[in-house]
Amino acid sequence: DVLRDVADRFGDRATAIVFSGMAGDAVEGAVYLTAKGGEVWAQEPSSCVVSSMVDGARARGVVEFTGSPRELAQRCATRFVR
């Protein structure tokens, strides 16, 4: 629901990061967000405690960038911090 709301409000200006997790709730939200023009990044599965959520998003083909938590933070800082 959160990613759907973000997608509806911000569309192609939205970016979501999918981290380690067991559930699949972020997967459908990530699919919806990319359909609205948003972008999805994900934690590298090998750095996850449980990679089910990340694996699901990657399997759906909606992940544009995959990295370790440090790489995700660096990319976020480079892209959004001014």
Side-chain angles (χ1 to χ4, degrees):
D1 290 340
V2 171
L3 289 180
R4 285 181 169 274
D5 189 41
V6 168
D8 287 340
R9 290 175 190 256
F10 300 102
D12 63 358
R13 296 177 294 138
T15 301
I17 302 174
V18 179
F19 288 102
S20 177
M22 290 177 57
D25 53 328
V27 176
E28 292 307 316
V31 169
Y32 186 81
L33 186 134
T34 58
K36 294 282 193 167
E39 191 171 271
V40 176
W41 304 346
Q43 183 176 351
E44 177 62 45
S46 64
S47 70
C48 293
V49 173
V50 178
S51 65
S52 301
M53 194 145 21
V54 169
D55 295 337
R58 291 179 66 188
R60 295 291 295 272
V62 297
V63 176
E64 183 169 313
F65 175 77
T66 302
S68 68
R70 178 180 293 275
E71 292 167 329
L72 290 161
Q74 289 170 334
R75 185 175 176 104
C76 188
T78 300
R79 185 140 183 216
F80 300 111
V81 177
R82 296 177 203 263

